[in-house]
Amino acid sequence: MLHDTAVVILAAGQGTRMKSRKAKVLHRAGGKTLVRHAIDAALEIAPPGRIFVVVGHQAEAVRAEVEAAGVGVIHQTEQLGTGHALMCGEAELSGLGGSLVVCMGDCPLIRSEALAGLAESQQSSGAGATLLTTDLDDPTGYGRIIRNADGTVREIVEHRDATPEQRAVREINSGVYSFDAKAFWRHVHEIRNENPAREYYLTDMVAILIRAGRRVEAHKIADSSGLLGINNKVELAAADRIFRERKVRELMLAGVTIEKPETVTIDSGVQVGADTVIGPFAQITGDSVIGENCHIGACSIIHSSVLGDEAEVFPFTLISSSRLDAGAHAGPFARLRMDAHLGAGAHVGNFVELKKTKLGAGSKSMHLAYLGDSVIGAKSNIGAGTITCNYDGRNKHATVIGDGAFIGSNSTLVAPLEIADGAYIGAGSTITHNVPARSLAVGRARQVLKEGWKKKGL
Ligand code: UD1
Ligand code: CA
């Protein structure tokens, strides 16, 4: 945390170049919205009470995302430019001294270390403003840093306003700045909209502060990957790829084995324990927590779920909002959803779907079953093809199966239904009445045998 630093994140623009109905900063990369990434970086350097996000376009939706992160909101009714966005926060911010760090809601890859380094450099040098800059091979679209012959910063020129010589400059303005707050608020109203876009450019503060006798410095960093601004869907995909690379690298350095890491998709909020092996093309998203020494098979998708240590997920399995206790197995080709829960060492195999169902410790359902709204005890066996008929066309009903029960293959269990401990259901039964402990229930037509029924010669 830095002393005496406030952060403003600009997020009021529409993002026309995204060609989307959704506000640009609400698009996702690395599993989080762009604005949330910027807020999370800011929270590493300043307390939530000193962080504000400027909202405008689709204000209500963006405000909801900002408030969920616990930071302040500033409203910019009309989007008249990045300089104007700051002016809208004068009431909240102009009383705060120290440094005013400004960053962009569409610059999600920014690292908190870069923000801290920028603010520290501005504070220690006493500059009126310090800009975070980098050299890009292709600087198209960015504001260019124009320096004097002695290397000091003179101004920032927007790409669309730049001369051909200025466009040849590869050093770009990242849109991240640290201002001396007092100087900033004293001079912010000197920004004019006398440019082809008729916008109040925040970048004009550079020339304004220099005119007022203050020094403006550039804090240039070599790793430009954190400064990528997202303006279209191609850049969104590029940012997503960088987040994915950062995450798999972090996990691998923490002891997770990832096969073909360039193919897996893991959200930044996911936790994975050491010695877990993740197969190619796996996706682990949301706030999933995976224990140690687990195995996540190729092409599995795990969303917002919790897996205990030693859990095994075989390939092509879908698990969402569910839980596997230690040593549980699922898949290949299984589907667990809406609070499905496998107890310790429980197994579900191929083409088994569990919805709002608990399968107790050591129980098994190995092939082709639908188990919905059910509670199944420990060490029970659910035969292939078992279906819980949980829906009567209007309401959902529960099926309760005790410990050590045996459900024969292709059983149809019509809920509401209770099958007690140790009960046995004959294969192919349709069960509509409760079955007491340790009894056998068979609900199917007896086999009829007609010997010699087939005519000779055919
Ligand atoms: C801006 C900079 C440019 C820099 C680039 C870095 C200006 C004038 N230009 O250009 O020098 O190289 O960022 O990515 O600042 N916004 C508002 N209110 C507004 C306008 C914009 O809040 O009235 C917000 C947008 O939501 C966005 C951010 O400011 O998050 C940047 O706006 P954008 O239009 O993308 O600026 P760039 O053209 O990329
Ligand atoms: Ca931008």
Side-chain angles (χ1 to χ4, degrees), residues 55-71:
V55 308
H57 184 76
Q58 290 187 14
E60 287 322 303
V62 181
R63 177 187 288 271
E65 178 74 357
V66 172
E67 284 174 350
V71 301

Side-chain angles (χ1 to χ4, degrees), residues 10 12-13 24 76 79-82 104 106 143 158 173-174 201:
L10 305 189
K24 173 163 71 176
Q76 184 191 22
Q79 284 74 61
L80 303 180
T82 48
M104 301 288 170
D106 66 348
E158 288 307 294
N173 169 33
S174 67
Y201 291 160

Side-chain angles (χ1 to χ4, degrees), residues 9-15 17 24-25 54-55 76 78-85 104-107 141-144 156-158 160 172-175 177 199-203 227-231:
I9 298 165
L10 305 189
Q14 178 178 1
R17 290 166 279 180
K24 173 163 71 176
V25 295
V54 182
V55 308
Q76 184 191 22
E78 266 187 294
Q79 284 74 61
L80 303 180
T82 48
H84 178 258
M104 301 288 170
D106 66 348
C107 186
Y142 289 89
R144 304 298 204 284
I156 300 172
V157 178
E158 288 307 294
R160 61 185 159 220
I172 60 102
N173 169 33
S174 67
Y177 321 82
E199 282 188 13
Y200 294 88
Y201 291 160
L202 177 60
T203 44
L227 303 183
L228 184 67
I230 310 304
N231 295 307

Side-chain angles (χ1 to χ4, degrees), residues 367-417:
H367 334 266
L368 301 158
Y370 171 63
L371 305 171
D373 304 296
S374 308
V375 178
I376 299 163
K379 295 203 166 134
S380 287
N381 189 79
I382 312 295
T386 298
I387 304 288
T388 54
C389 308
N390 59 333
Y391 186 50
D392 62 11
R394 273 171 189 262
N395 297 305
K396 297 283 171 72
H397 301 283
T399 300
V400 179
I401 299 175
D403 296 338
F406 184 95
I407 312 297
S409 295
N410 220 31
S411 292
T412 305
L413 308 177
V414 181
L417 186 66

